[in-house]
């Protein structure tokens, strides 16, 4: 049981980061299908930062706080650049959002694999992996009281700090969207930019900030996977988690707090495929389908109930041009 | 203090390209006054108000607020001078509650607290007697409630000068009464209210003074108490200009289309046609006069089978002597009977023609169903296209030019030409000369006259009274979905029709 729950939550975190980031982005009216690529870039940027640091100072001289900060900062910069590329194309140049997003995903994965391969060569790794153990152990550090609290500690406190960051970020995002003026304006931008514009909200600014913030948060999902979940980088190791994150956005009805529960549910469904013993390989593939089926199921339910609050932002996927009325 | 006006416009002019939308307009509104701006479509009412509310910037002239000259370049500036405008098209976020919409965009530096905003909204509703729940979502609201939200939005921002652009166009009579009661209360509270309208009875019952605009110019400002319907109408429509359209006397007329008591309700629950009855005769041009949006579009669509009716009957008598009830037929069957709609909406290419296709393909839109194989036969449409280009003198390089590359008049000719080529028995043309130059307009008038001589029952919806009076044999007048009268095109006066257009029935007019 404990293994199952821990597994589910570890599987959940990359999805939660990705979904929270995508929710913020979509609330501004931008459908960013580049999220899988951005998460990949967020991961490789962190890996680059960590590896360069480690190889500059040597494995023995690593300062934990500095190592973690450099890794996070590198990841931030990588994801932010991706977010800026998307924003510039889609918001300023009004490029088609779907095409731009898909291109960005392909681009991001290409970047990740290119730098992953290069780094492997530079550090002279014997395998195709980059071992990040010297730094990732700080990401994996659990709260010190975890093992004194029995099952409670095992279930809730046996994770690295990024797990808690993920949940807190989702809760803050939910609060901002629902309870603050910034959130009100952001939602208005995604629902009806012309109205927001008429009331004096700076539509372009909101779209840029939301999209870039969303990218950085999503990038953390990639970073989590590499540093806390696996502890090493291997090309194409990230799987389809980026797409699952986008599915989770729909599943969560664009609400970050529901995304927390949804991500753990998705993680649990995924774990079901791994931990159920005595099933054939084909059946395992079917288990991996479950999160997508759950998403389709939610789509059907919400469509039948047809409650406007549960719909995607009304201007999602559309670019805004003031003079076009 | 009492001598200064709340808002004063001096010599305001505004051009759009070559069109003079406003020419040297002077206007002043006092505090605690309701000023009505009266004028026909295109007389420049909305343009003028948009300049006060910061949507447009005047080319010439000055604006004074409370006696001080101001420059208003954006809606935000307007708000800073306590000016708020309620547009015809509401700008609201559907999934937000009333309160959320009202506070949207306000950044007063105070902590964001929806409950506090909600309390203030309730205060405003109580003060002026609005009937609305601050928590209701916009998508659950009726048009009237949405309008209320817009008004509160403006009041919440502290507006003292309110401009309402045709606020009653979408409301039911009861809702209009409620709105007027609120507006009077706001006037008594010292606010200045400017209301754009073309409904005479509303002007008379609500306003303190009336400013009349015609063709972009300010004609006069009169005290409502000392004026009359006929005086206002005369100011509004001006003197009749003869156009010398070649009108022949109708011959061999028979009742082709008998419409009796049809009513229709639009998707928002507003009655758009209210027991409309009339007869269109063969060999005659029947004009439909009315302010734009009074139900003309719905009426024509009802005949074409595109608008669901709640009651009434549309009877079509074919030249062979058979009778059909069109209400029981599909649009396609109606077309087959020879009832043709050559509808020209605001956007000429929006309905009827596909802009990126050439003339031939556009001809085929009406005839492709006649083919029998899976391949298209482009020969006969090509012939037809060439005929139309030839006869109507459509200025185009060839028939393979995409329609959207043609000028407005030529597009119109293609559209009308195609409908005429189908040899209609009833031809409906709505605003067929809108946006056309004089020559093209005459080509269209002659085409319609030709059809009339061929025994077609022509229904012509127009907005220019001079044209209607010179072209049509009979004219029915529609106002707010009701027929307010019928006149003979040869003897009627412009004032007579004008008065009926503003909602007064024929009896009241005489």
């Amino acid at each position: 049981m404990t293994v199952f729950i821990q597994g589910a939550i570890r599987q959940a975190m990359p999805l939660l980061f990705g979904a929270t980031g995508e929710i913020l982005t979509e609330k501004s009216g931008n459908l960013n299908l580049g999220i899988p690529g951005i998460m990949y870039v967020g991961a490789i940027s962190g890996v680059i930062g960590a590896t360069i640091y480690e190889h500059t100072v040597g494995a023995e001289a690593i300062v934990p706080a500095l190592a973690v900060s450099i890794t996070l900062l590198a990841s931030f910069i990588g994801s932010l650049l991706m977010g800026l590329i998307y924003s510039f194309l889609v918001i300023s140049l009004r490029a088609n959002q779907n095409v731009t997003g898909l291109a960005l995903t392909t681009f991001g994965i290409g970047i990740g694999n290119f730098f992953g391969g290069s780094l492997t060569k530079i550090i002279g790794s014997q395998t195709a992996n980059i071992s990040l153990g010297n730094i990732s152990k700080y990401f994996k550090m659990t709260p010190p009281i975890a093992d004194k609290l029995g099952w409670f500690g095992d279930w809730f406190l046996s994770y690295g700090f990024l797990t808690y960051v993920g949940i807190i970020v989702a809760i803050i995002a939910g609060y901002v969207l629902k309870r603050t003026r910034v959130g009100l304006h952001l939602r208005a931008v995604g629902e009806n930019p012309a109205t927001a514009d008429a009331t004096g909200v700076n539509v372009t600014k909101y779209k840029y900030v939301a999209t870039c913030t969303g990218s950085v948060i999503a990038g953390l999902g990639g970073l989590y996977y590499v540093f806390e979940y696996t502890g090493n980088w291997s090309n194409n190791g990230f799987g389809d988690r980026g797409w699952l994150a986008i599915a989770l956005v729909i599943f969560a009805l664009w609400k970050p707090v529901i995304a927390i529960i949804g991500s753990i549910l998705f993680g649990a469904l995924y774990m079901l495929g791994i931990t159920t013993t005595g099933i054939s390989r084909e059946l395992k593939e079917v288990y991996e389908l479950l999160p997508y089926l759950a998403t389709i199921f939610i789509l059907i339910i919400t469509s039948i109930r047809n409650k406007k609050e549960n719909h995607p932002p009304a201007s999602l996927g559309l670019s805004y041009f003031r003079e076009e009325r | 203090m009492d001598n200064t006006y709340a808002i004063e416009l001096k010599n305001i002019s505004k051009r759009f390209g070559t069109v003079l939308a406003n020419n040297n307009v002077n206007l002043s509104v006092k505090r605690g006054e309701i000023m009505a701006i009266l004028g026909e479509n295109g007389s420049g009412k909305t343009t003028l108000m948009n300049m006060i509310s910061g949507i447009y910037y005047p080319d010439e002239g000055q604006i004074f607020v409370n006696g001080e000259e101001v420059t208003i370049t954006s809606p935000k500036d307007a708000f800073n001078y306590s000016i708020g405008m309620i547009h015809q098209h509401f700008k609201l976020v559907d999934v937000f509650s009333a309160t959320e919409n009202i506070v949207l965009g306000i950044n007063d530096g105070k902590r964001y607290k929806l409950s506090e905003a909600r309390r203030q909204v309730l205060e405003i509703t109580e003060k002026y007697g609005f009937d609305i729940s601050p928590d209701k979502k916009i998508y659950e609201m009726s048009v009237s409630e949405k309008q209320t939200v817009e008004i509160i939005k403006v009041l919440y921002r502290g507006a003292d000068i309110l401009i309402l652009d045709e606020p009653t166009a979408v409301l039911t009579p009861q809702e209009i009464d409620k709105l007027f009661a609120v507006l009077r209360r706001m006037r008594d509270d010292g606010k200045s209210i400017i209301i754009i309208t073309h409904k005479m009875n509303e002007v008379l019952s609500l306003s303190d003074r009336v400013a009349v605009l015609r063709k972009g110019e300010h004609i006069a400002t009169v005290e409502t108490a000392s004026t009359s319907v006929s005086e206002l109408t005369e100011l509004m429509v001006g003197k009749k200009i003869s156009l010398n359209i070649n009108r022949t006397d109708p011959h061999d007329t028979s009742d082709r289309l008998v419409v009796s008591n049809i009513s229709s309700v639009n998707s928002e629950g507003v009655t758009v046609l209210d027991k409309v009855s009339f007869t269109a005769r063969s060999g005659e041009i029947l004009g439909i006069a009315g302010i734009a949006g009074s139900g003309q579009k719905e009426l024509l669509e009802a005949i074409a089978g595109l608008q669901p009716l709640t009651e009434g009957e549309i009877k079509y008598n074919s030249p062979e002597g058979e009778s059909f009830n069109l209400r029981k037929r599909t649009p396609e069957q109606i077309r087959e009977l020879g009832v043709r709609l050559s509808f020209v909406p605001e956007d000429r290419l929006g309905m009827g023609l596909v802009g990126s296709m050439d003339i031939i393909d556009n001809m085929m839109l009406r005839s492709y169903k006649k083919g029998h194989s899976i391949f298209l036969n482009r020969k006969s449409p090509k012939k037809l296209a060439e005929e139309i280009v030839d006869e109507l003198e459509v200025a185009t390089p060839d028939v393979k030019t995409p329609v959207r590359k043609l000028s407005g008049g030529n597009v119109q000719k293609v559209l009308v030409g195609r409908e005429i080529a189908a040899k209609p028995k009833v031809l409906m043309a709505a605003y067929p000369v809108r946006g056309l130059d004089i020559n093209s307009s005459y080509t269209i008038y002659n085409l319609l006259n030709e059809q009339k001589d061929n025994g077609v029952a022509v229904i012509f919806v127009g907005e220019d009274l001079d044209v209607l009076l010179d072209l049509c044999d009979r004219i029915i007048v529609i106002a707010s979905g009701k027929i307010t009268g019928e006149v003979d095109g040869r003897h009627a006066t412009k004032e007579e029709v004008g008065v009926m257009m503003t909602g007064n029935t024929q009896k009241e007019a005489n």
Side-chain angles (χ1 to χ4, degrees):
Chain A
M1 192 62 195
T2 302
V3 174
F4 183 81
I5 287 174
Q6 289 180 346
I9 290 179
R10 293 206 170 104
Q11 284 294 337
M13 280 309 124
L15 308 185
L16 179 59
F17 277 111
T20 309
E22 179 70 3
I23 287 172
L24 286 181
T25 310
E26 291 197 11
K27 281 288 179 189
S28 78
N30 283 342
L31 177 65
N32 189 354
L33 294 180
I35 284 291
I38 291 170
M39 291 172 81
Y40 209 69
V41 168
I44 190 67
S45 308
V47 171
I48 294 170
T51 312
I52 290 176
Y53 174 68
E54 187 181 338
H55 284 260
T56 315
V57 299
E60 297 75 29
I62 289 175
V63 184
L66 191 59
V68 170
S69 309
I70 286 177
T71 311
L72 284 175
L73 187 69
S75 169
F76 276 177
I77 293 170
S79 327
L80 183 64
L81 281 176
M82 290 293 276
L84 280 173
I85 294 174
Y86 179 87
S87 303
F88 179 68
L89 285 170
V90 159
I91 304 165
S92 299
L93 303 182
R94 290 184 278 278
N96 180 300
Q97 299 190 0
N98 297 338
V99 176
T100 309
L102 290 173
L104 212 59
T105 287
T106 317
F107 175 67
I109 292 171
I111 292 247
N113 287 345
F114 170 74
F115 282 105
S118 311
L119 271 184
T120 316
K121 209 171 160 191
I122 291 168
I123 63 168
S125 171
Q126 297 307 308
T127 59
N129 289 346
I130 304 167
S131 172
L132 302 162
N134 290 328
I135 288 176
S136 77
K137 65 182 179 212
Y138 302 115
F139 281 88
K140 291 182 177 180
M141 233 162 34
T142 59
I145 50 163
D147 26 336
K148 294 180 194 121
L149 293 170
W151 64 268
F152 183 84
D154 286 341
W155 284 17
F156 299 109
L157 297 173
S158 59
Y159 313 97
F161 72 95
L162 272 181
T163 305
Y164 306 103
V165 169
I167 289 169
I168 292 166
V169 164
I171 291 172
I172 292 175
Y175 179 83
V176 167
L177 282 175
K178 206 165 170 205
R179 301 249 176 253
T180 66
R181 183 174 287 137
V182 170
L184 181 78
H185 291 182
L186 178 60
R187 282 185 289 140
V189 167
E191 289 289 341
N192 193 336
T195 297
D197 197 13
T199 53
V201 175
N202 187 337
V203 174
T204 308
K205 185 174 117 193
Y206 268 89
K207 280 185 177 245
Y208 258 95
V209 171
T211 306
C212 291
T213 312
S215 294
V216 168
I217 294 173
L220 283 178
L223 193 74
Y224 173 94
Y225 179 78
V226 174
F227 279 86
E228 185 167 338
Y229 187 75
T230 60
N232 64 64
W233 169 273
S234 59
N235 277 358
N236 294 322
F238 192 58
D240 56 2
R241 287 179 175 79
W243 298 116
L244 259 179
I246 292 175
L248 180 59
V249 172
I250 301 165
F251 182 91
L253 306 171
W254 292 266
K255 294 183 176 74
V257 179
I258 301 184
I260 300 175
I261 302 155
S263 67
I264 295 170
L265 182 71
F266 276 24
L269 290 174
Y270 185 88
M271 283 308 286
L272 220 53
I274 294 176
T275 53
T276 315
T277 46
I279 54 163
S280 62
R281 168 119 188 83
E282 301 90 79
L283 210 56
K284 277 200 168 155
E285 298 289 338
V286 175
Y287 275 34
E288 281 188 21
L289 255 178
L290 289 175
Y292 296 103
L293 285 178
T295 305
I296 293 171
F297 182 70
I298 291 283
L299 266 180
I300 293 170
I301 298 283
T302 51
S303 302
I304 290 172
R305 290 195 49 209
N306 198 20
K307 209 170 154 233
K308 278 242 185 178
E309 284 86 347
N310 294 339
H311 286 188
S315 99
L316 184 62
L318 309 172
S319 44
Y320 175 61
F321 186 40
R322 184 184 278 180
E323 272 104 90
E324 208 171 74
R325 283 170 200 271
Chain B
M1 244 338 232
D2 279 329
N3 299 337
T4 57
Y5 290 106
I7 188 155
E8 198 173 4
L9 307 181
K10 279 190 183 158
N11 302 319
I12 296 279
S13 296
K14 177 78 185 170
R15 279 168 196 287
F16 293 108
T18 55
V19 183
L20 197 58
N22 281 131
N23 187 15
N24 266 324
V25 177
N26 290 289
L27 190 73
S28 50
V29 187
K30 295 176 202 149
R31 272 182 220 94
E33 175 182 64
I34 299 181
M35 162 79 100
I37 310 248
L38 186 67
E40 288 186 293
N41 292 105
S43 56
K45 296 169 295 193
T46 304
T47 308
L48 186 66
M49 291 305 114
N50 278 341
M51 280 189 276
I52 305 179
S53 66
I55 311 250
Y56 298 142
Y57 189 71
D59 294 341
E60 284 166 43
Q62 297 156 294
I63 300 175
F64 296 85
V65 175
N66 294 326
E68 275 174 55
E69 185 171 357
V70 297
T71 317
I72 301 172
T73 53
S74 71
K76 227 177 185 168
D77 285 353
F79 272 129
N80 291 340
Y81 296 118
S82 301
I83 302 168
M85 181 156 171
I86 291 112
H87 296 270
Q88 263 177 297
H89 302 284
F90 305 138
K91 284 192 184 296
L92 297 168
V93 179
D94 265 355
V95 296
F96 283 11
S97 70
T99 310
E100 282 177 314
N101 265 294
I102 288 163
V103 300
L104 180 63
I106 294 181
N107 215 337
D108 50 8
K110 277 185 240 150
R111 215 175 93 79
Y112 171 79
K113 225 173 149 206
L114 214 51
S115 54
E116 171 61 22
R118 188 178 174 279
R119 200 185 54 73
Q120 286 178 32
V121 170
L122 278 175
E123 242 170 52
I124 296 173
T125 33
E126 267 167 44
K127 186 170 174 191
Y128 298 110
F130 289 109
D131 182 15
I132 195 152
S133 149
D135 306 316
K136 202 166 173 184
K137 294 273 161 67
I138 300 297
Y139 67 85
E140 296 169 329
M141 289 186 180
S142 68
V143 185
S144 144
E145 287 175 301
K146 287 182 194 171
Q147 187 181 56
T148 308
V149 175
E150 286 282 10
I151 297 175
I152 300 176
K153 201 163 130 186
V154 168
L155 291 174
Y156 186 88
R157 285 162 167 73
D160 291 323
I161 302 164
L162 280 90
I163 305 164
L164 295 101
D165 190 357
E166 293 186 26
T168 57
V170 290
L171 303 183
T172 64
Q174 293 80 5
E175 288 166 346
I176 292 174
D177 288 344
K178 250 195 241 167
L179 173 69
F180 283 3
V182 167
L183 291 181
R184 286 192 190 102
R185 236 165 281 155
M186 292 199 290
R187 170 188 60 191
D188 298 341
D189 193 42
K191 302 211 183 282
S192 308
I193 292 161
I194 305 176
I195 172 170
I196 301 179
T197 183
H198 39 231
K199 292 186 191 162
M200 202 66 80
N201 55 347
E202 291 175 1
V203 171
L204 293 174
S205 74
L206 182 69
S207 69
D208 300 309
R209 287 193 302 152
V210 195
V212 183
L213 260 60
R214 191 203 311 150
K215 301 208 158 81
E217 301 202 29
H218 176 234
I219 303 299
T221 300
V222 291
E223 298 279 334
T224 311
S226 63
T227 188
S228 64
V229 171
S230 58
E231 188 195 356
L232 285 176
T233 311
E234 206 181 308
L235 290 170
M236 188 168 108
V237 295
K239 290 271 169 290
K240 168 142 178 46
I241 307 155
S242 182
L243 298 166
N244 296 318
I245 295 171
N246 183 20
R247 173 163 53 191
T248 52
D249 285 328
H251 56 87
D252 304 327
T253 58
S254 67
D255 292 359
R256 182 68 72 229
L257 197 67
V258 184
V259 175
S260 38
N261 281 319
I262 59 167
S263 297
S264 182
V265 177
N266 72 4
S267 59
E268 271 143 2
V270 178
T271 303
V272 283
L273 292 177
D274 192 356
K275 294 203 186 336
V276 170
S277 302
F278 66 89
T279 304
R281 302 201 185 103
S282 63
E284 206 181 67
I285 298 185
L286 174 70
I288 299 182
I291 306 283
S294 301
Q296 298 96 319
K297 174 172 174 261
E298 288 79 7
L299 180 57
L300 297 196
E301 286 186 345
I303 296 169
L306 300 168
Q307 173 86 15
L309 298 177
T310 50
E311 61 174 325
E313 181 172 62
I314 302 170
K315 213 170 82 182
Y316 168 72
N317 302 315
S318 77
E320 292 80 33
E322 285 174 280
S323 273
F324 303 92
N325 182 0
L326 294 189
R327 258 192 89 180
K328 296 207 174 99
R329 314 225 155 212
T330 63
E332 208 175 322
Q333 287 170 332
I334 293 172
R335 271 212 307 278
E336 288 303 312
L337 285 172
V339 179
R340 290 283 168 157
L341 177 61
S342 148
F343 193 75
V344 184
E346 290 77 40
D347 166 19
R348 242 184 295 273
L349 290 173
M351 216 164 138
L353 294 175
V354 179
S356 55
M357 298 199 324
D358 64 24
I359 304 178
I360 305 176
D361 285 349
N362 271 297
M363 294 298 136
M364 287 169 69
L365 282 180
R366 278 284 185 260
S367 61
Y368 71 96
K369 281 191 177 155
K370 290 197 187 108
H372 296 293
S373 77
I374 56 165
F375 298 105
L376 294 169
N377 173 6
R378 282 174 68 95
K379 265 193 201 133
S380 52
K382 185 166 184 235
K383 214 174 125 231
L384 175 61
E386 279 162 355
E387 274 172 28
I388 289 175
V389 169
D390 237 35
E391 282 172 28
L392 305 188
E393 293 164 357
V394 180
T396 171
D398 56 45
V399 289
K400 286 187 178 152
T401 308
V403 170
R404 77 180 140 76
K405 290 198 175 160
L406 305 182
S407 74
N410 289 308
V411 171
Q412 210 95 313
K413 286 180 193 169
V414 170
L415 183 61
V416 176
R418 183 184 69 191
E419 297 308 323
I420 289 173
K423 298 205 167 42
K425 305 290 182 292
V426 177
L427 178 66
M428 297 184 277
Y431 311 115
V433 295
R434 186 180 278 181
L436 298 196
D437 60 41
I438 298 289
N439 285 330
S440 309
S441 302
Y442 275 87
T443 314
I444 301 282
Y445 300 147
N446 291 339
L447 270 174
L448 294 177
N449 269 322
E450 213 173 279
Q451 291 300 306
K452 160 183 156 184
D453 285 340
N454 291 344
V456 174
V458 180
I459 300 176
F460 174 86
V461 176
E463 37 194 359
D464 191 329
L465 286 183
D466 292 322
V467 172
L468 278 161
L469 288 170
D470 262 16
L471 176 72
C472 304
D473 300 298
R474 281 183 305 133
I475 299 168
I476 56 172
V477 186
I478 188 167
S480 310
K482 269 190 201 146
I483 300 290
T484 47
E486 181 182 324
V487 292
D488 186 316
R490 284 176 178 72
H491 306 298
T493 63
K494 218 170 161 181
E495 286 74 27
E496 199 182 342
V497 178
V499 168
M500 289 191 280
M501 274 166 64
T502 53
N504 299 283
T505 55
Q506 205 155 10
K507 261 189 235 145
E508 287 165 11
N510 290 335

